[in-house]
């Protein structure tokens, strides 16, 4: 449904996006994840026809964003980020704003009221339709932003930071709303917060300094980053860290081994670099050296750790 190929965008000499490619299948939710300034908004603006790319191409439902901008606009709903939340006219009432946007989008007069009510229904804002947007809570402003994006009943929704500035309860509500809309619609959302995309999206594209550093499902991404799992072993008594490092270092398929002394225990954290389960080897090595294992725990790298590994590679 969405096809982005070798997309680049320079603002004068400033590189904002370089050689980014990805696809999104119908009904999927794709998360564009990256720190501020990574290039997420730029990609979204190219997809919505706001900006022309410097290089590469993007297609929505088979239509090129540069060659067929009108066909593209018909099929997408865009919620853009403003200074204090979604870009809306804060002095208008909810209904008059939605009516204004519906006119801009070319909704025929006879259908307009019905279209607006449907969008308000989907986003749960009927009760506030006569309120001034500027006086609504952040959660409701975000819903109005979603409602205006839905007015042309788009196949594709592009949502820039849909949960920024919301409190935890509002975040859960907006997330649910977005999830409910997928399936029928294809969605791209951006965020600089990892758990956010992990919880909402089927697929994640990580952007850093304008380039794509990873693309995967959430589970795959964790697994890929340096083999994925880490194992924590607590040994009774204090062993010499160098000895522990040396002995465990002999096991094949181990990434880094970190040893620290905590309280009266030796704590070892090892990262797997292959796909093999290394717990048995860790056990055997301990027995051979007469170390008593008090605890052994296996855990996946958190997506935060994965993200750090992927985005800080150059500086390491
Ligand atoms: P994100 O949405 O990930 O925060 P942006 O796409 O907004 O990132 O920005 C990517 C880079 O492009 C940043 O370095 C930003 O300063 C720059 N940039 C964005 N918009 C413009 C513009 N209109 N003119 C010049 N530089 C811009």
């Amino acid at each position: 449904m969405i096809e982005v190929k070798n997309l680049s965008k320079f603002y004068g000499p400033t590189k904002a996006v370089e050689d980014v490619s990805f696809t999104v299948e119908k009904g999927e939710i794709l998360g564009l994840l990256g720190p501020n300034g990574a290039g997420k908004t730029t990609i979204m603006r190219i997809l919505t026809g706001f900006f022309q790319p410097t290089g590469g191409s993007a297609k929505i439902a088979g239509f090129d964003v540069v060659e067929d901008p009108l066909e593209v606009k018909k099929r997408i709903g865009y919620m853009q980020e403003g200074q204090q939340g979604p870009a809306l006219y804060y002095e208008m009432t909810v209904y008059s704003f939605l009516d204004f946007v519906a006119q801009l989008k070319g909704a025929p007069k006879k259908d307009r009221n019905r279209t607006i009510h449907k969008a308000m229904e989907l986003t749960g804002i009927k009760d506030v339709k006569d309120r001034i947007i500027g006086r609504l809570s952040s959660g409701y402003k975000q819903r109005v932003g979603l409602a205006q994006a839905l007015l042309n009943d788009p196949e594709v929704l592009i949502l820039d930071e849909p949960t920024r500035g919301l409190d935890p309860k509002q975040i859960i509500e907006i997330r649910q709303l977005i999830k409910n809309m997928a399936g029928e619609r294809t969605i791209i959302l951006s965020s600089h917060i990892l758990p956010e995309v992990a919880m909402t999206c089927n697929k994640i594209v990580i952007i850093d300094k304008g380039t794509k550093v990873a693309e995967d499902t959430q589970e795959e991404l964790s697994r890929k980053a340096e083999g994925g799992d880490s194992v924590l072993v607590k040994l009774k008594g204090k062993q010499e860290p160098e000895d522990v490092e040396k002995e465990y270092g002999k096991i094949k398929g181990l990434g880094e081994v970190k040893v620290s002394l905590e309280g009266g225990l030796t704590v070892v954290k090892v990262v797997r670099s292959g796909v093999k389960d290394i717990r048995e080897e860790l056990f055997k090595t301990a027995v051979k050296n007469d170390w008593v294992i008090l605890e052994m725990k296996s855990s996946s790298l958190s997506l935060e750790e994965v993200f750090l590994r992927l985005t800080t590679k150059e500086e390491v």
Side-chain angles (χ1 to χ4, degrees), residues 2 15 25 91 107 110 160 184 218 226 270 303:
I2 303 172
K15 177 187 88 177
E25 301 302 323
E91 68 282 7
K110 62 175 179 43
D160 202 352
E184 213 179 305
Q218 194 230 323
E226 309 289 328
V270 294
L303 222 46

Side-chain angles (χ1 to χ4, degrees), residues 37-171:
K40 306 180 295 294
T41 302
T42 302
I43 293 172
M44 292 185 151
R45 291 201 163 164
I46 293 171
L47 287 176
T48 52
F50 253 67
F51 286 153
Q52 297 246 341
T54 314
S57 65
K59 281 185 184 163
I60 305 264
F63 293 100
D64 188 283
V65 295
V66 178
E67 284 161 22
D68 291 304
L70 290 179
E71 292 300 327
V72 169
K73 283 201 175 86
K74 264 192 230 164
R75 288 167 174 80
I76 54 177
Y78 179 34
M79 184 167 95
Q80 46 168 330
E81 226 206 331
Q83 295 295 323
Q84 308 121 13
L88 308 164
Y89 286 109
Y90 282 36
E91 68 282 7
M92 289 176 106
T93 64
V94 172
Y95 189 90
S96 55
F97 172 70
L98 293 177
D99 189 48
F100 171 68
V101 178
Q103 284 184 51
L104 284 184
K105 290 192 176 184
K109 194 160 194 277
K110 62 175 179 43
D111 300 335
R112 227 183 281 149
N113 189 40
R114 193 167 43 85
T115 307
I116 295 169
H117 271 87
K118 199 173 152 206
M120 292 197 300
E121 178 101 53
L122 278 169
T123 50
I125 54 171
K126 273 189 164 169
D127 293 348
V128 297
K129 76 181 191 24
D130 297 318
R131 301 261 303 270
I132 302 281
I133 294 174
R135 300 207 190 112
L136 295 174
S137 69
S138 316
Y140 269 93
K141 281 183 191 132
Q142 216 72 343
R143 284 164 188 256
V144 177
L146 265 179
Q148 66 77 30
L150 287 169
L151 284 172
N152 53 337
D153 197 14
E155 289 169 68
V156 173
L157 270 178
I158 298 191
L159 312 172
D160 202 352
E161 297 273 359
T163 55
R164 175 170 282 191
L166 302 187
D167 66 36
K169 186 167 164 275
Q170 294 166 338
I171 288 178

Side-chain angles (χ1 to χ4, degrees), residues 218-252:
Q218 194 230 323
E219 302 82 31
E220 276 172 325
L221 203 60
S222 312
R223 242 197 329 266
K224 254 194 189 171
E226 309 289 328
D229 293 350
S230 65
V231 181
L232 186 84
V233 186
K234 288 188 179 169
L235 304 173
K236 190 175 175 186
K238 294 181 187 171
Q239 340 287 328
E240 280 302 321
E242 295 80 38
D243 292 345
V244 178
E245 258 171 53
K246 195 169 131 232
E247 290 301 315
Y248 273 154
K250 290 178 187 165
I251 301 174
K252 278 204 186 109

